[in-house]
Every structure is written in C-alpha cells, then in structure tokens.
Amino acid sequence: MESSEEVPRIGVFVCHCGINIGGVVDVPEVVEYSKTLPGVAYAEGNLYTCSSEGISKIKEGIAKHNLNRVIVASCTPRTHEPLFRAACEEAGVNRYLFEMANIRDQCSWAHMHEPEKATEKAKDLIRMAAAKARLLKPLEEPEIDVTPSALVIGGGISGMTSALCLANQGFKVYIVEKEPKLGGMLRNLNKLYPNMEDASEGLSQIAKRMKSNKKIKVLTSAAVKQVKGFIGNFEVTVEKANGKAMNFEVGTIIVATGATVFEPVGMYGYGEHENVITQLQLEQLLKKGQLKKPKKVVMIQCVGAREEKGRTYCSRICCTTALKNAMLIKEKCPDTDIYILFRDLQAYGTHYEDLHRMAQGKGIKFIKYVLEKPPQVIRGENGRLMVNVCHALLDEQVKISSDLVVLSTPLIQQESAKELSQMLKVPLGPDGFFFEAHVKLRPIDFATDGIYVCGTAHSPKDIAESLSQALGVASRAAIPMAVKRLKVEAITAVVDENLCSGCGTCVKLCPYNAIQKDEKGIARVTSVVCKGCGTCAASCPERAITMQHFTDEQIMAQALAALGRCVA
Amino acid sequence: MTFEPRIVGFLCNWCSYAGADLAGVSRIQYPTNIRIIRVMCSGRVDPVIVLETFINGSDGVLVTGCHPGDCHYIVGNFHSERKFRMLKKLIALTGFEQGRLRLEWVSASEGARFADLVKEFTEQIRKLGPSPLFNENPNPNLLENMLAVQMAAASFRLRVLVGREKSLVEEGNVYGEKMSQEEFDKVMDEAVTNEYLRSKIYLMVKKEPLSVKELSKRLDVDSQEALRHIVAMRRRGMVTASRVEGATPLYAALEMIR
Amino acid sequence: MRAHKSVLVIGGGIAGIQASLDLANRGLKVYLVERTPSIGGRMAQLDKTFPTMDCSMCILAPKMIEVLRHPNITLLTYSEIEGVTGSVGGFKVKVLKKPRFIDENKCTGCGECAQYCPTEVPNEFDMSLGIRKAIYIPFPQAVPLKYAIDEANCIKCGLCERTCKAQAVDLDQEPETINLNVGAIILATGFELFDIKSISEYGYGKYKDVLSSLEFERLICASGPTGGHLLRLSDGRIPTRVAFIQCVGSRSLRGGVRFCSSSCCVYATKEAILIREHNPECEVYIFYNELKVFGKGFQDFVKRARDEWGVKYVRALPGEVMENPETRDLTISYEDTEENMTKSMTVDLVVLCPALVPRVTNKELAGILGLELDEYGFFKSRDILYAPVDTNKQGIFICGYCQGPKDIPESVAQASGAAAKAAEAIQLTKNKGVR
Amino acid sequence: MKTEPKIVAFLCNWCAYAGADLAGVSRISYPPNIRVIRVMCSGRVDPAFIVGAFEMGADGVFVGGCHPGDCHYISGNLEAEKRIKNTQRLLSMIGLGPERLRLEWISASEGERFAQVITEFTENLRKLGPNPFKAQVNAKSHTDMKKVISEAIKKTNVQYCLECGKCSASCPISKVNNAFSPRRVVERTLLGFEEKVLSGTDVWTCLTCFLCSERCPSDVRFPEFIRDCRRVASQKVMEELCAHRGIPTTLSRMMTNPKIKQDRMDWLPSGAKISARGDTLYFVGCIPYFDVIFENFNLELLKIPQSVVKILNKVGIEPAMLSNEKCCGHDLLWTGDLENFEKLAKTNATDLKKTRATKIVTSCPECYRTFKKDYPEVLGTFDFDVLHISEFLSELIDKGKLKFDAKLSTKVVYHDPCRLGRHMGVYEPPRKVITSIPGVKLLEMPRNRENAICCGVSAFMSCNKYSKEVRADRLKEAKATGADLLVTTCPHCQIHWKCLATEKLPTSSDSVSMDMQDFAVLAAEALH
C-alpha cells in the first residue's frame, strides 16, 4: 500500500512501433516532452516496446530509476495492457500502477497526414496518462476460496446428467428433486426418437449410475428454501417433505428445474369431449398400450403456443413429438388415417427432417392452417368429432370426421420458478423461462457468477439438446471449483459509509446484485461480485461510491490534462 | 490563427474504444482535436464530470457507449442515456449551447462510423466557436449558471430520480405502482428547474447575503417562488437568515458539510 | 502411466474457442489447432448476431484475445492434424505447422509490410469481395495478430523483408511437425457452404447481384469491403428492393442435402432487419418454404421484423431468377402459396441462403482419428439421445456444427459440454490409468 | 361364309345425299353394304373421321359431294378433294391402300350414278378383302384407379411434396395460366381428392416437360405422376383436348396390328445406301406420316431422315432400317394407353432383333427416350445401344471419323427439346456438333440446357391459347438472341412452332417468325 503514499516516480516508455508511430509522431520530441511532466522521473523511446527487448527495457528502467508508476505510450490497452502489466509486476510494481497512452490506433494511424498535430495529440495523451498515473493506487485482486461442491436443483434427465458429470470430475454434488422419484418429464414419455427406445431404459441406466456414485447426495421430495452468499460460498437450506430442513455449503448452483406442459382447458373442446386429448396424454396411452384403434386421428399443432400475445414463443418439440406419435400409431394400426394440422412444421436439423419425410412416406396427411383461421372441432350428429380446417395452401375448407383429436401444447415454466428466481436473484425472461447472462455467448451462465442453467428450465428443447446444456453447465460450474481459489476483479466500487445515506439507488442499479444494504441500512459492495462498470458511482446521490482505478479524481485529472489545465 | 476545438471524449472500453481502435487499424483519418478518456462503461460517465470538463474549458464533450443491448455490463448504456436526458435538461436552462454535448453509440466494428462522428462533431464545434466560458471575453453569468447546473447535477434529489427512473417506470415503486414515462418526465422537469434555481440562489447568497426580493429580481422569478426555494433550502440547511434589514431578512449560504 | 492433463482442440471457431477457454480456465493444458492464420471462424465473418443484434466482432474479439493470452493455451494457427495414435488419457498427435514465412515471435502485427506488398489477392475472409495483400492478416482483429505470406500468390519480391523493422520476415521458413501428448481430443470443425452454383436456376455465379448470405454479411459489415454500404456489385447502385431465398440446397432430395441447416430462417430475418436499418427506403422480401424459428426468442424476433421493421415474408420457393441484361435487375418467378397465385417480382439484389454442410475434410479427419461420420457427413454421436458429444472413440468428443446443425448459443453450450466430458475422461483415466 | 364389306359413306346434304335419295325414289337398287352419314358439305369430312372409321374396322369409306362449281358452299368440295388425297396417302402408307377411300362428285340428279358407284366400290372392296384392322377396337381394359394413384404417389415421390410451389413457379403453363399448378394437383391428390383431379383438365394440361421435377427439391417427378394419372383419367376430357383430332395416336394404335404392312420408305433418295440388316440401325419414327398430316405447314420434315442417311453413308455406314417400322409408342404412353404401348414395344423389339443391330440411332428425341428409358421398363430387357443422332455424330467427331467440309456462315441458336434435354440429360453433344461446323456461331438463349423451356406442346395434347403463349415466348427468346436460325433436335418442336404460325397469334407475327431447321439437316448441309 505504501507505494501510493510515496511521491510518484513515473517512467514513460514511448514506442515507435516501427514507423507506425515513429513515421508520423516525432517520438524523440515526445520523449523529451514527457520528461518535463510533473511526476515523470524517466522517459525513453523504443522501436517496439512490446518486443521482448522492449519489455526488458521497462524492467531495467524500473530498477535503475526506482520507478513506482509506468506509462507505455504505444498501441491499445485492449490488446497490450496485460503484457505490460505483467512486466511491471515482475519488476515489483503493482500491476494497477500502470497506465497506457494509445498513440498509435487512436493517433498516428488516425492522423497520418497531420504529423505536427498528431505529435501534439500524442503529447496530450501522455500528459493525460501521467495525470492519471499520479493518482493511481495499487490494487490487489481479491482471492476467494471455492467450496468444491455443487447444488443441482431438479432431478430430471438434465439435472442427473450434470450431477453425474460433475461427480465424475471429482466434485461433491447435492441434487434436489421435489418429486419422490428422480426422472422428471422423461418418466411420462413413451418411446424416444430417433432410435425409438423406451424412455424408461435410458432412465433406469442413469438412475443406476446415480445410485452407484458416492459423490452424489440425492434429496428427493425436497425443495430449496433459502440460498445465501455468493460464488464459491453459497449457504443452502433444503426442506424435505417431512418438514426437516438441512443446511450445507456449495460453491456453485445449477438450475435444472425443467418445464411442464400447458393444459389447454376449454380449447378445441378439450375437457368437454373425452376423445379430445393432449399429445402428452396420447404419449401415455401409447406407453400403457391403451390406445384402441382409431379410424381417423387429427393432431392440432401450436395449441396455446405462438400466439399473438401471451405465449408467443414456439415450444420447439411439439411438431416432432406429433410426428413421432403419428408414426407409432401408424405402426400399430396401419390403416388409420392421420392428419397433422400445423402452422409451420418445426422439424429441423437432420433426423427431424427425415422423420417428417418418413411420416409423409407413411401417408400421414399434413394440412397447414394460419393463426387467423384456426381449425374448429365440433361434435357431429353421429357422435363423432368433426374437424373443419381451412387448408391455407389451397384456400379450401377441409372437413375431417375423426374419432380422436390430439392437441399439441407447449412446454411452460413451472409455477415454482418465480420463487426460485427471487431466491437466487436470477431473472426470468418474457417467456417465463430462466434468462441467461448473454443470449449468444453465455447461454448457460447467469449474470450472477456461480449460478448456471440448463435444460428446459432455460427454454423448450429435446433430450440431446438438454443434455448438451447439462454437460455444458457441468463444465461451467467445474471451472471455479477446479481452481479452488478464485481471483476476482480488482476494479470494483467501494462505498464510503460516512457519506452513504442508504437510499438504495445503487442497489437497484447494479446489474449484478453486487450491492446490498447491510443491517445498518448502509450500502455494501460484495467486491467479488462487482464487475466494475461504475454505473453506481456515477449515479450515487451522495456521491458516496468510489470506482477504484476509475475514480472521479482520476478521470477529472485526465480531462483537465486534456484541456491543458494540468495542475503540477 | 484558426480556432482548434478542444474536445474531450469519454469512450466505453468494450465497444466504442475498440471502434476508435478499428478506425486507426483501418487507417481512417479524422481530426486530431479529440482527446479520448477510456472508461469501463458509458454508465460510468457522471454528469458532474461532464460539466466539470466544460467548466474547465472544453469546447465539446463526446460520450460514446455500446449500442443498446450490446452493453458489456448488460444495461449500463441505458443508465447513461437517462443521465444524459437530465444533463441536457439542465444545460438547456443555462443558455450554454446544447450542441457542445453529444451521446452516441459506436460498436467495436464501426471504425468508419467513429471517424465520421468525430469529423462531424468537430465541425459542429468549429461552427459554434470557442466555449463561451473560455473565449477572449468569457461570459461570467454563463459560468455562474454552469456552476449552478453542476451543483444541481450533484444534488441528491436529481441523482435519486435518475437512479430510480428505470425501476419507477418499469418495475413500479414501493407500492408496486408503475409511473408512465410522461408522469416521470413531469416530475423530473420540475425537479431540474427547482434544483437549478436553488443552486443558483446558493451560489449568489454565498457571495453576499441577499433578500428574497433581490433574489427574485436576479433570477427573474416572482418573489413567491424565490421564497418557496429559500424555505426549502433552509430546511436542507443550505441557507440561513443572516440578518434583517428593516423588514426584509437577508439570507446567507451555510457551508455544506459532506 | 498417468493420463496427460492436456486436451487437443481442433478448430478455432466459436465452439473451439469456448471449449479451449473452459478447459484452460479450469487448469488443463490446451492445444488449439486452427487451419487458417487466425482463430475466430465463421462468427468472425458475421456482422451482427440474432436475435439481440449484437455486433458479432464486439462480443467475439475479447474471447479471441483471452485465448491468445491464456497461459494454459498453446495456439497453433495455420496448422493441420497429420496423425493421431494412442487412446484416451494418452493420445499422441502430429500437427503440421504450415510455414507462415513470418517469425511469429518477432512480428508485431504493425502491418508495415502489407502497405508495401505489391500483390493484391481477393480476401477469402471477405468471401473474396474485398482484397488483401500476399502478406496479410485475414482481418484487422485477427488473433494472433501475426502476418502470413500466402506462398501461392507471393512473388518473392522481398519488399516486406526490407520494410519489416522487426525483421520478422523469413522467406525460407520450412513446414514443421509438432508432436503433442494429450489426454483427450475435441473436434469443432464447423461447416462450409453448399455450392449454390449447382442450383443453376437462381443464377449464382452467372449474375453479379445474386449473393450468398455470407457474402452479404461481409457487404453489410462496417469493417467489410464496402465499409458497410450495401451496394450492387454489378453497378455499385444502392439496392431499393432485396429478396432473400431460403433453403438453397437444403431440405432437398435432389441435388442438395436432406437436412435443414436450422439457422437460415432466423439469420435471414436478421439480415433483412439490417437492410431496413441501413436504408428504410429499401424493401426486403424473404422467400421461404417453412419458417423454422424454434429457438429461444426467435418467434418474437420474427414478429418484430414483420411488424416493426416491415420485412415481408412470402411463402414460396421461387422457380428461377432472371437478369435483365440492360438494367441488371433480377426478376424472380414464384407462386405465392398462400394466395395460390403465380407471380413475378423484380428486385435489385438477391441473397441466397445456402445449406450449411459439414466440411468435406471431415472424412479425412475421421480417418485419422478413427471416427465414424453419420449419413449426412457430420461426426457421429455415440448415442444421439444420451451422449451427444461422445464419439465412437473414448476420449474424443465433438461439438458445434460439425456434430449437427445448430446456432451459436447451441454450439457454445455444447462446446462447454465437450469440455466437461474431456475433463471427465482425463479425471477417470487418471484414476484408472491408461492401458 | 364370306363377310360382306362394311362401307361408311359421308354424303353432302345438297347433292350426294339427294342423289342417294333419288336412287331410292327411282327404285334403283345397289348393295346394302353402305351406311350413310349425312353431312352438310363434303368439306366437313375430317381425315380423322375417315381414319377413325378404318380403325373401327370399316372396309371402305365413301365420300360424296357436289360437282366442282356446284358446291352449295362455293368451294367446300375442293377442300374435301385435297384432304381426301392427303388421307389416301396416309392410308397407303399405313398399308390399307388408297382404294378403300373413295371420293365422288354426285349431283342431286345422279341417282343412277350413285347406285353405280356404290356397286362398283363394293365390288372392289370385296376383291380387296376385309380391312385387316377389323375388330381392332382398343377398349381400355379396366384398371383400379385407387391402386394406380396410390402406387404413383409412392413411385414418383409425390408423397414427399413440401408444398413449396417451386414447381408452379417454374411451370411455363402455370406462369400464363394461374388455374394450373402442379403443387395444387399434388396436394389435392394427397388429401384424397383424386377423382376431382382425374375428371378435370389439369391432368392433360401438363406439358410433361420435366422443368418442375428438374427443380423440385423433394424430387417429385410430377410428369411421371401425370403419366400414371392419365391411365385412369377421363378419356372423354382427353379426346376433347387432343390436338389434330388425334390422328397421330389413332395411327399409332393402328400400328399395333400385327398384320400391318406399311409402305413408308418412298422418301429415301435414289443412291442412298441402306440395308435390311446391320450393326447400326436408323429408326426414322413417324416423320413420313407427319409429312403428310402437316403437309400444309411445309416443314420439309422428310429432309431429316434423308439428311441422317446422307451423313451415315458419308461416314461409310449403310444403316439397317425397318421398311415396316412401327411407331415407338411415345404418344400412347404419355396419353395413358399403356396396353397399346406395350404391344408396340413388343413388336418393335422383335422386329429390331431381326436386324441383328446392336446400335439404334434415332433423329427423334421421343423415340430416343422411349427406347432408352421406357422399353427396358415395360419389356424388362431391351439390350440395344440407343443413341440420338447428335450423340452419334459427336462420337464420330471425337474419333475423327467425321469432319464438316462445307462452310456455312450463320448464327445459330439451339433449343433443348425436353425429351432430349431434361428427360435424358443430353445437352452438350448437339452443341459440340454445331460448334464444330465451320462458319457456324452458336448462340444461347437465357434459358438453356436444364433451364430451357418447352416448345409448348407434347403428345399433341392441350394445344390452346396458353400453349400458344408458351410457344410464342420461346420463339421470342430465340429471336432476341439475334440468331439467323433456330435449330432443334426434335421434329415435334418444329411442328408445334409452325402450327403456331398458321393460327391467330397472341402477339405480332414477326416477333415470333423465325427460320428453323432440324439439327440433322443442318449437319448434313455442312457436308459436301
């Protein structure tokens, strides 16, 4: 810490970068100028500061002129800061006492035809860097211990897969399932496409592996009641059905709570006619072999899904499930006519596209309808159901008298999800499913470190897709647990409790829930969770928050220096 | 000699700063006038700092962040947008040219766009000429106003409002009632003018004790309103009646402890 | 013998990058082998990404740099796999490092050489729409930022050698074979584009203004050859009406591939929005057969495209595209299947969305690694339901598009999955030991 | 007991019919063999009636009209005279002989003469003996519609239709006639509305040009599906839509008769060297008949076989030929008459074997496709090496056995006939041959090779305003290339295009009038 107290002795290393900078900016002049700046104890020019030679020059400089601040004026910190920081560290200068002036990407290259002005700008940029450097404070990246155990919430196929993979990597896993048995949605399913094997087969195998694995603690008929702490150090309270609560510590948490199926009460005569059923009910009938040969079956897709508002999303698996079950019916009773009334048939990828063709080959009939003109299911006088649908691609009404109508309904979020999301402070998306940190590149992380999501809790998907994610989180969660100790961001916010009035503005603003009010009502930053954006500092009504390494003073000093109002 | 604008740019590290780099990498030329300060997020740019920059003689300030939705910190850029709405409202009250301040989104792949932006902004500032606070005959009142604005921008009230805008408008208040953007803006506008006037009052009475009458003259508001502010400021311990001249009390500033 | 605590990752696209970072961050040694001079893969070529419209390079570049700097990752670009022997826990790998003719330790990426290099070559990264020099980096944000000389086009004038202050140019560099010992292997070789010339009725290759969607990405990208200005390549005019055609070569039993590439409908929607963003005057039509938008948030995305951006969707696969030789305009004949009308539409630009197909080189690679390919040419999962990232060979895993059609988030998640299985395999063999 | 000749007589209302009446009034007796059909004018008698009558087994056909100059309709009888002569040529060619058809001028006052003529005609017919085609009535054997369709749906991939509409967007007819859409035909059938489809005109509207199936991503072979549909579709509708009153198909059916003895070689130039046996056989096809049927188009179609023989002789080949060559059956197959097609296939196969030929060269893409694709299917085996003349010639050129020695300076545009192109994938050989002719510049239409569009008609079905538009469209496209000459390898294209020129046009006639020539004729001209 004392290095901040002592008088700043700044070393400035100006890079020619071949002729990239040297060809435009008058480097020698800049070097000379740097020497005149307050706090600068030494300055030199290098051909390539980033070359191994340049690096050793920096180290020498630090030793020879016992510098306690270093500025490199060269390219962009985005690519090179870490390199130079490392150099400083190796020479005994705290990595946060380093500052960079970008005189290539944002100066020589951008002003190639104005050498004088570019040189002036380079000087300013170095003056600004120096102004900040003088105010830099050494920072330590805090380290935290990570409890090498994970909590998996949800004992479906996804949860079990994650649990097994983590256990095999040597971590202790607690898996919490609300039902008395593991297995989740898979327990309701019959045969699985593409290899048409019984769902129960895969389940029993995995169940076996779960039992035999000593690192996994299975808690069935149980629910997570409370979660406190942060990555590496979560305190979990689980309540069993018998009311007994148990507490344990984990380093990471995986949300694999799955989804449930929408029940289309009052739609297409569901709940009114006994032979209007859901796809899931059909699955059960087939599973139990209770389906009696129907003459004509009509399946209606997108029932309660892809609506104008409300459930606007596509449930992804319904079309392929319908195709699969249609095939199974055809197998059982080949002369049954089957109609699938769809809007856009979501049979994607390789095997599903083939499944669609197989169904066509089996003579299953497909009729496209549009949201504006949904089919109608009415009971005909002979007691059979009459389905009227407008064939969107022939613009003709088609009447199908059928003895079984199957409704494909979407997967929807569990009721329990809302409570869980608040408990873990992880968001739910507009579609009700858990919302990841970044849709594109962090699909299975939450913005909150140490908590991950997989399977249908994230969005509807099939088994292979769920398992890809389940294995994915097994990697994401393993990372902090494998390294055991976690270095976290040093550029964090700190609250001056004398100034904080406890208004809570920052608490609401922080995208990472890194700020909480303590018992005194004062805002406290959990620095290991803070990512250092500084929005809180810029908004704190009492200006009680300091954003380390980007303090008001440091930024202002740069601004003033830029304006030539540099205070010596 | 021709006027060379002094422009300070605050660029977010993840998108805009990278975009500026790309402009260089692609050798796209733009005026040298801008001096870039790297911040981690545009949300970090405190209105107070921006105003300070103006008060210290910058002819223009350009703040750029990631495009909405791209923010590395999820929503930082939305917050900066809100702060800027307040900032603009404040500056509008001072007579200082609004065109000297600009908030833009520049992504990491928009090198050309960054260069164009700088070109265009520099030209704009060139047209506006040197900052009225810092040309050959600086305008003292304007400086006064800017100082007042800066003080207002630092005020608890405005900062709370900006900080809470999102939650108030999108999540609802403690009673779970949502505020429409219009309602909120109404509240905000009112707060902006009040805080501005109060800051002005404070700065005036800091020089010399003044009467409500005098204040209403200088601020050119009716004395009733001036009094309303004085009352509010007394409650906040910003001013006190120092002495009474005849029947009219004169008010003086109190040192504010932070 | 104990298992090697190291993993070979083949392919430096987003999947390979994710797998490498996951493994390196948890303390395993990673060798990332990439065929081209830079990592980044297909994602680096994209302008924006759906449905968030994130700038692709903005979110990718930091990860690329992280890979470069990671102490646990050895990056072998411009390299190919020559041979693999051994088994889980103890694979021996031969990697051929092709000569870059540049000393990577010396090159600072300043680009001085390229300024002077006299030979211009169409830039593959820009789908050959832009140009590069014979000494080049594929794109400004390339990682590593080390130049390479492509032997095929270099005229050996030696100018670069003379201009390079860092003396990094080494024209006598030889190919070098590197031997690696790894405990597990992850494949992430991605995809290539179906040859849409073979669908002759759409005139690709015959008409300049019929583009592939990836060419379009480069054209619309701010750092692309036209600086992000969408122009007709025939006459440089700004298009006022653009049509996208879906399923070019995909979902086909004749002259194409059977499967659905699974992302085209959505990325076309994204590209359509981009056009409207750039130029609200420009009408955009998407000709599709089945709108396959099943991913998270995709339905709302398409709805926004339709309602807010005014993108027009037509359910029809056009019969043919004909160019008017004078105006260069393109006339599309189609049957609007929802109106039962055969119509024709004249547009300025046609963008074809080709089938995204597994790399032909997969066969060779599968041979080297002893892996099976599925009937479509993708690497075959050991169990399509329960073991998506496992292959028929223990200790070798697959992720990303080379395992089957998927979009970026699915590839990223699966890449982490492959990383987990690789770590697991090493852990288990560590316990058992390698036979 | 000897069968009595059956005579069908067409008598004009004003003269001949009245003459016949007079004969009766005057109690002049004549043989009872004659069955009279009253027509208003002998000009009304269509060759198709006559040919049809013979197919149905008439031993003689008699046509009676007014004396020249007396015609109630000024010149109807002269028209009739031309037609009858022309029809007599057909009859002699098919082997019936001209004398079974007789035209006489009989005035209302010539009752006696009428009796006389009839008696005499009846006598002649007795001498000639019965019509060999008697009882050759080809009543279609009953076929199970449902079965045919459901098999077709599988066989031709119709079941895999993804309803994308690419077919309709490609179909040259759909483009001009919205009512027709291959996609909708397919979807209706798949939904089980086949009766509706089969009783409509759609089945007969398809050009079977294969452009849709060339492009269909689901590999639906619509034209083959249509071919199967036609087997069970309404014949009535077909007959209504059949062009040139179905004479070509009638003739084909007649040729299924084993007794047939044709006389069809008179086109062969003196000095042309051919043989009855040999390794290489030249199959002429129906051109000699077409030359008669389409006489008034002055197509000079006979030049085609003449040219082929010339070229073959030139390279030292004396082609084997069948003097009693039968129709390949293409049109029967594509109009749904599978039974008669099979008959022809069998007889042709046996006749061809007799020649000991191993190679069959055709100058007609329809024969080519039928031999190469369809015969093997229906016969199981058909082991001949079938070549279109263009393939044969380009092989010769490759082997250096053929070199064009005459220089013709002309710009030529080549049209890919559907049967040779998309059906059989022969695109390059014709081009190769044409480009190797000195002084010939080959131009391409925008829509060429697999993207070429049909000449406009096939199997003489559905010649209507839409097919006219298609034809005009194609001719315009050809003209637009700036070529002097439109060359095709299929005689039918020329027939349909020339036919267009004789009718009222959808567009200005000069925009579509273009010199055209058969590929073989062009090649022959390039040889001294």
Side-chain angles (χ1 to χ4, degrees), chain C residues 200 253-254 315 320 340, chain D residues 163 175 183 215 217 450:
Chain C
S200 63
L253 294 171
R254 189 176 193 289
R315 193 192 176 289
E320 72 218 357
N340 292 305
Chain D
E163 316 176 291
K175 277 195 186 140
R183 174 183 67 84
R215 293 175 178 175
E450 68 270 23

Side-chain angles (χ1 to χ4, degrees), chain D residues 216-355:
Chain D
C216 174
S218 296
D219 194 24
V220 172
R221 293 186 299 280
F222 185 71
E224 289 174 12
F225 175 68
I226 283 296
R227 194 174 76 183
D228 288 349
C229 287
R230 287 175 177 179
R231 287 177 54 199
V232 287
S234 149
Q235 288 301 298
K236 222 178 105 288
V237 180
M238 172 189 122
E239 274 144 27
E240 284 162 11
L241 300 177
C242 192
H244 304 287
R245 293 155 202 88
I247 293 186
T249 35
T250 313
L251 291 173
S252 309
R253 280 197 298 275
M254 291 168 86
M255 290 189 213
T256 58
N257 188 304
K259 298 204 210 87
I260 192 162
K261 274 241 141 300
Q262 298 174 83
D263 164 22
R264 51 180 292 163
M265 298 292 286
D266 61 352
W267 55 267
L268 198 68
S270 57
K273 299 195 222 61
I274 67 162
S275 56
R277 288 202 177 136
D279 179 57
T280 308
L281 177 135
Y282 170 46
F283 194 88
V284 180
C286 305
I287 288 169
Y289 289 99
F290 291 164
D291 182 63
V292 179
I293 301 168
F294 304 112
E295 198 178 32
N296 50 341
F297 295 177
N298 46 48
L299 283 159
E300 304 179 300
L301 286 169
L302 288 175
K303 274 188 165 182
I304 299 174
Q306 287 161 351
S307 304
V308 174
V309 174
K310 174 185 169 189
I311 301 169
L312 293 177
N313 289 172
K314 190 97 180 165
V315 297
I317 297 173
E318 294 182 10
M321 281 164 84
L322 298 169
S323 55
N324 191 23
E325 181 188 298
K326 318 275 192 322
C327 168
C328 69
H330 173 278
D331 287 1
L332 293 178
L333 178 64
W334 288 91
T335 48
D337 187 348
L338 196 56
E339 290 70 16
N340 282 315
F341 171 72
E342 280 170 357
K343 280 196 200 135
L344 282 177
K346 288 202 187 73
T347 35
N348 271 326
T350 32
D351 294 0
L352 287 163
K353 275 203 195 68
K354 289 201 196 96
T355 66

Side-chain angles (χ1 to χ4, degrees), chain A residues 298-409:
Chain A
V298 177
M299 297 184 176
I300 305 178
Q301 300 305 106
C302 294
V303 175
R306 296 176 64 207
E307 295 169 322
E308 260 308 302
K309 47 185 99 49
R311 250 174 274 94
T312 56
Y313 62 89
C314 163
S315 176
R316 189 174 183 133
I317 58 163
C318 328
C319 285
T320 47
T321 310
L323 287 168
K324 176 192 75 179
N325 288 336
M327 294 288 283
L328 288 172
I329 295 175
K330 269 283 183 190
E331 216 170 88
K332 209 157 145 287
C333 7
D335 37 14
T336 298
D337 281 334
I338 305 179
Y339 295 76
I340 296 182
L341 278 43
F342 68 99
R343 278 171 56 198
D344 289 282
L345 201 78
Q346 304 297 340
Y348 52 91
T350 49
H351 297 88
Y352 287 140
E353 195 63 61
D354 286 352
L355 175 60
H356 179 196
R357 287 214 184 80
M358 278 189 260
Q360 288 181 307
K362 281 258 176 293
I364 290 160
K365 299 181 170 63
F366 294 86
I367 299 180
K368 181 183 167 80
Y369 74 92
V370 289
L371 181 59
E372 300 68 39
K373 294 181 191 164
Q376 283 142 349
V377 180
I378 46 177
R379 187 177 283 288
E381 58 292 327
N382 57 357
R384 299 187 77 203
L385 293 168
M386 182 62 78
V387 182
N388 296 349
V389 58
C390 175
H391 192 303
L393 304 178
L394 289 175
D395 195 23
E396 284 173 12
Q397 278 294 334
V398 181
K399 284 185 166 24
I400 313 158
S401 103
S402 94
D403 41 14
L404 183 62
V405 172
V406 186
L407 308 179
S408 291
T409 61

Side-chain angles (χ1 to χ4, degrees), chain B residues 154-202:
Chain B
S155 74
F156 182 91
R157 184 169 171 214
L158 291 189
R159 294 173 76 88
V160 165
L161 281 173
V162 178
R164 293 290 178 91
E165 177 174 357
K166 181 175 188 290
S167 45
L168 288 173
V169 174
E170 287 167 22
E171 292 147 32
N173 60 18
V174 286
Y175 307 110
E177 312 160 333
K178 271 195 201 150
M179 219 173 175
S180 77
Q181 190 66 47
E182 298 67 44
E183 291 172 285
F184 179 85
D185 290 342
K186 218 166 131 285
V187 176
M188 189 69 190
D189 294 342
E190 195 237 345
V192 165
T193 18
N194 290 346
E195 289 310 311
Y196 171 66
L197 288 171
R198 287 167 197 180
S199 310
K200 270 190 80 113
I201 294 174
Y202 182 79

